[in-house]
Amino acid sequence: MASDSRFAVLIDADNVSVRYIKLILDEISKDGTATYKRIYGDWTNPALVSWKSALLDNSVIPIQQYSYTTGKNATDSAMIIDAMDILYSGQVEGFCLVSSDSDFTRLAARLRESGMTVVGMGESKTPNSFIAACNKFKYLDILSAADEEEPEDAPKPEPGKKAAAQKEKKAAAKKSPAKQNGKQKPEPREEPKTSLRVIRRALRSIVRENSDEDDWIIIGKVGNILLKRYPDFDVRNFGFSKLTPFLDSLDMFEIKSERKDNNGSPQMYVRLK
């Protein structure tokens, strides 16, 4: 997908937290340009008041949909109708559907039938039916947690303050309840629906079936096939930022770099050990 592809980003406010808004827009920018940015909900509901500043800061248009009947989700209907209107306008090449609700499964499938690229985003609780209906699916809670774990560049302490800073760090570590028996207790983290065991088995099959006569295959091709089989696959779900280090960590492959010509960048290949 070209980086200048146009996307309609449609967000279900009833099923998505406001804390994900920047992450949503950052993620879709990797696939293309968000030409439509709309969010659907009953904005008379006090529960949605926290969205106000986030929508202004990110130029997202709120679409009002009153809850006419208790227990019925009118927001879903409004979002589906808008999606079809945008589809028939011919102004986009893809859709980003943001929800953890299975009600959008048929919409995602219908958009793909019309040749649209469909990127789904939601939390780990999202039903498998919606995930499978998308070209790719991103877990917002897992990616958000990974971003929070990234260390920021801290300013270097002045020479006279270095010893004091180290003392404070040691004292805080002694008081911390997360430290038990000399070991740091890890924070619980959500797991992707497609487990590492499933990914390992799929990788073995992909490399075996698609490699050349010498059993080598381009790493980029491996990633493309894997994403088609498992739309929710993302190396960041497993703590990596790139595909090659992830494959190397599995201890299943030999990896080599091969330069096609003097001007081209090296091409990375893998084969089973």
Side-chain angles (χ1 to χ4, degrees):
M1 168 81 42
S3 60
D4 59 350
S5 295
R6 298 166 298 177
F7 274 81
V9 180
L10 309 180
I11 305 170
D12 176 10
D14 295 333
N15 285 284
V16 175
S17 169
V18 65
R19 67 191 179 96
Y20 296 134
I21 186 64
K22 185 69 167 63
L23 177 60
I24 291 165
L25 298 177
D26 286 350
E27 286 298 314
I28 201 60
S29 70
K30 298 174 184 177
D31 294 282
T33 301
T35 54
Y36 291 83
K37 293 185 285 185
R38 297 180 181 177
I39 185 166
Y40 300 79
D42 182 359
W43 302 103
T44 63
N45 185 343
L48 298 182
V49 71
S50 61
W51 278 99
K52 183 177 179 181
S53 61
L55 301 185
L56 290 172
D57 291 343
N58 294 281
S59 188
V60 179
I61 299 173
I63 306 297
Q64 171 63 31
Q65 184 59 48
Y66 292 103
S67 300
Y68 297 110
T69 307
T70 304
K72 300 294 183 182
N73 198 341
T75 299
D76 292 3
S77 300
M79 187 165 153
I80 291 168
I81 291 169
D82 261 15
M84 298 310 294
D85 285 344
I86 294 170
L87 170 66
Y88 290 128
S89 75
Q91 298 299 311
V92 298
E93 288 77 46
F95 284 80
C96 175
L97 305 179
V98 187
S99 179
S100 299
D101 193 342
S102 63
D103 289 351
F104 297 106
T105 300
R106 184 67 189 98
L107 173 62
R110 176 65 181 82
L111 294 172
R112 288 186 66 181
E113 288 171 1
S114 295
M116 295 288 108
T117 296
V118 180
V119 178
M121 297 188 195
E123 294 187 326
S124 302
K125 63 184 180 182
T126 306
N128 283 326
S129 57
F130 180 39
I131 294 171
C134 301
N135 291 94
K136 64 174 73 171
F137 189 89
K138 305 189 180 191
Y139 295 114
L140 296 173
D141 47 347
I142 295 178
L143 297 182
S144 177
D147 283 347
E148 289 169 5
E149 289 170 9
E150 280 290 323
E152 296 184 3
D153 293 333
K156 293 182 179 179
E158 295 176 19
K161 297 181 180 178
K162 188 174 181 181
Q166 287 177 341
K167 278 186 179 181
E168 280 185 29
K169 191 175 180 181
K170 287 180 181 178
K174 286 180 182 179
K175 293 178 183 177
S176 174
K179 197 166 188 178
Q180 299 176 357
N181 299 325
K183 294 183 179 180
Q184 190 74 20
K185 186 179 179 182
E187 291 291 328
R189 184 172 174 174
E190 293 288 349
E191 294 295 328
K193 289 186 184 295
T194 304
S195 68
L196 185 59
R197 180 180 61 83
V198 172
I199 294 298
R200 288 175 65 94
R201 188 169 65 239
L203 284 169
R204 191 177 298 277
S205 169
I206 290 168
V207 173
R208 186 181 292 121
E209 294 167 6
N210 297 278
S211 56
D212 61 19
E213 295 82 358
D214 296 320
D215 299 324
W216 291 100
I217 180 172
I218 296 172
I219 285 181
K221 185 176 180 181
V222 174
N224 289 336
I225 296 173
L226 189 60
L227 189 59
K228 289 176 182 176
R229 293 190 184 183
Y230 299 100
D232 66 335
F233 172 73
D234 190 317
V235 293
R236 292 173 296 175
N237 293 344
F238 304 99
F240 291 85
S241 59
K242 298 289 178 63
L243 181 59
T244 301
F246 170 70
L247 295 177
D248 191 31
S249 74
L250 300 177
D251 198 29
M252 295 169 55
F253 304 106
E254 296 177 42
I255 299 177
K256 74 171 182 178
S257 172
E258 185 176 294
R259 190 179 293 276
K260 286 293 184 182
D261 53 58
N262 292 332
N263 297 323
S265 58
Q267 189 74 266
M268 302 300 294
Y269 292 79
V270 293
R271 72 177 177 187
L272 290 167
K273 287 185 176 179

